[in-house]
Amino acid sequence: MAIVNKIIHSSVVDGPGNRAAVFLQKCNFKCSYCHNPETIGQCVQCGACVEKCPAKALSLKDGKIVWDEDKCCECDTCIHVCPHMSSPRVKDYTAEQIMEQIAPDLPYIRGITVSGGECTLQRDFLAELFLLAKQQGLSTLIDSNGSYDFSQDAELMNVCDGVMLDVKAFDCDAHKKLTGMSNEQVLKNAVYLAEHGKLEEIRTVIVPDQLPNEDTVFQITKLLKPYLDKKQIRYKIIAYRQFGVRSPYDQIFRTPSSNEMMKYKKIAEDNGFENIILI
Ligand code: SF4
Ligand code: SF4
Ligand code: SF4
């Protein structure tokens, strides 16, 4: 069983081609710029969101939160009032149930991407889901913050075609300040996955004046340059945007200009990257 925040049946932004995307609840990072902070925590059934729901779609039954999807008007009040960075709009699914959910999509999708939160926190579910997805001929991608040691999990790697890896900051102190966690494992993963042809994409969110963006783009592309001959690695350089970001960071951070973004693209190009996407 995994706690699932959302299933998107057709996505063109979660890896190559048209894909099903499954977003799991819970994350071990607490990024200040997180666009979906309600995916970080796990619901503790406190009930604080129940009386705030304007559609009466929430209730507590036997100490457990119940969400009536039919009544929900998707106003997001519950996730804004939740003191635990969680959401009552989650569901438990087995890997088989996810495959049943996406069965009608199979003729139209090329693969499945599992994201979060941090999906590797629910590793057993992930391995089982990918095994089932492969049996249906789907490609399988993980979207990860890089905190999981992929090198120690041959079983998962056997059913995973690639990892889209966040490289939020190359400098460890900057990474800790942003996420609350070290980036030591992230950088080890970058090299391990590149060596094994499983680094599908790296991503960096650019937050001007708050993060050492130039250093991150330069250092990570330099680190991965030796592996580009084997396989070009896509680099998605993402402009910070305010949408969904929690207070007070939404008031502190700013979006970079397109000129700033072009500067980072050039740094990556100079280190041999050809497949760079600015968004
Ligand atoms: S979603 Fe948040 S506010 Fe609602 S019951 Fe769970 S922990 Fe409490
Ligand atoms: S989004 Fe949350 S608060 Fe709004 S109607 Fe749905 S359950 Fe209720
Ligand atoms: S790793 Fe992703 S999901 Fe987790 S807190 Fe950071 S931005 Fe949010």
Side-chain angles (χ1 to χ4, degrees):
M1 278 281 184
I3 310 170
V4 176
N5 182 283
K6 190 167 43 179
I7 301 170
I8 294 180
H9 292 266
S10 170
S11 166
V12 290
V13 295
D14 293 291
N18 194 18
R19 315 182 68 79
V22 182
F23 295 81
L24 304 190
Q25 188 71 23
K26 288 194 287 187
C27 187
N28 50 350
F29 284 10
K30 278 202 179 75
C31 306
S32 38
Y33 62 42
C34 184
H35 292 284
N36 304 104
E38 73 280 4
T39 64
I40 295 175
Q42 187 167 351
C43 175
V44 297
Q45 323 291 337
C46 72
C49 54
V50 172
E51 62 184 42
K52 304 286 184 191
C53 173
K56 307 255 175 289
L58 298 173
S59 56
L60 262 183
K61 288 207 175 85
D62 302 326
K64 280 210 79 180
I65 197 91
V66 179
W67 171 48
D68 185 336
E69 199 171 351
D70 293 335
K71 284 188 185 166
C72 178
C73 61
E74 299 184 12
C75 67
D76 285 350
T77 303
C78 49
I79 60 175
H80 291 131
V81 300
C82 177
H84 300 282
M85 290 198 277
S86 189
S87 167
R89 290 145 58 198
V90 296
K91 287 186 178 174
D92 290 342
Y93 285 98
T94 63
E96 285 87 357
Q97 286 169 333
I98 294 286
M99 290 309 294
E100 281 164 22
Q101 288 287 317
I102 65 168
D105 312 319
L106 289 177
Y108 314 105
I109 56 174
R110 189 202 289 191
I112 183 167
T113 299
V114 185
S115 182
E118 173 53 31
C119 62
T120 58
L121 296 178
Q122 305 186 68
R123 178 267 170 212
D124 291 349
F125 165 87
L126 194 53
E128 196 182 336
L129 178 63
F130 279 2
L131 186 63
L132 296 175
K134 287 237 148 269
Q135 288 166 0
Q136 296 296 326
L138 295 176
S139 70
T140 52
L141 294 177
I142 289 174
D143 173 353
S144 173
N145 64 21
S147 57
Y148 185 74
D149 189 352
F150 291 105
S151 71
Q152 297 301 306
D153 197 339
E155 187 191 357
L156 179 61
M157 286 293 96
N158 279 340
V159 287
C160 170
D161 292 318
V163 176
M164 299 188 288
L165 185 75
D166 291 347
V167 180
K168 295 170 186 290
F170 198 89
D171 176 79
C172 192
D173 289 339
H175 193 274
K176 271 189 195 154
K177 192 172 164 214
L178 172 73
T179 69
M181 298 280 279
S182 159
N183 66 354
E184 196 182 332
Q185 187 61 56
V186 178
L187 300 181
K188 280 186 188 160
N189 275 327
V191 171
Y192 167 79
L193 293 166
E195 268 174 350
H196 291 80
K198 297 250 178 179
L199 189 54
E200 174 72 23
E201 176 178 292
I202 52 171
R203 292 102 175 255
T204 300
V205 176
I206 303 295
V207 190
D209 318 320
Q210 299 291 330
L211 290 171
N213 306 298
E214 196 165 328
D215 177 71
T216 300
V217 175
F218 177 74
Q219 298 288 356
I220 190 62
T221 49
K222 189 173 145 212
L223 180 72
L224 294 174
K225 190 176 180 178
Y227 307 101
L228 294 175
D229 290 344
K230 196 176 193 176
K231 179 183 181 221
Q232 261 297 328
I233 300 161
R234 189 167 55 250
Y235 194 2
K236 204 177 265 181
I237 307 179
I238 304 165
Y240 163 81
R241 288 180 184 85
Q242 193 187 28
F243 181 74
V245 174
R246 65 192 184 278
S247 176
Y249 308 107
D250 58 342
Q251 299 304 315
I252 298 168
F253 297 167
R254 76 165 171 90
T255 302
S257 66
S258 45
N259 277 351
E260 285 172 289
M261 293 297 286
M262 289 306 289
K263 180 178 78 179
Y264 300 121
K265 183 171 187 242
K266 172 85 170 53
I267 293 169
E269 280 170 350
D270 288 348
N271 274 336
F273 275 66
E274 291 169 8
N275 190 355
I276 303 164
I277 299 173
L278 299 182
I279 56 170

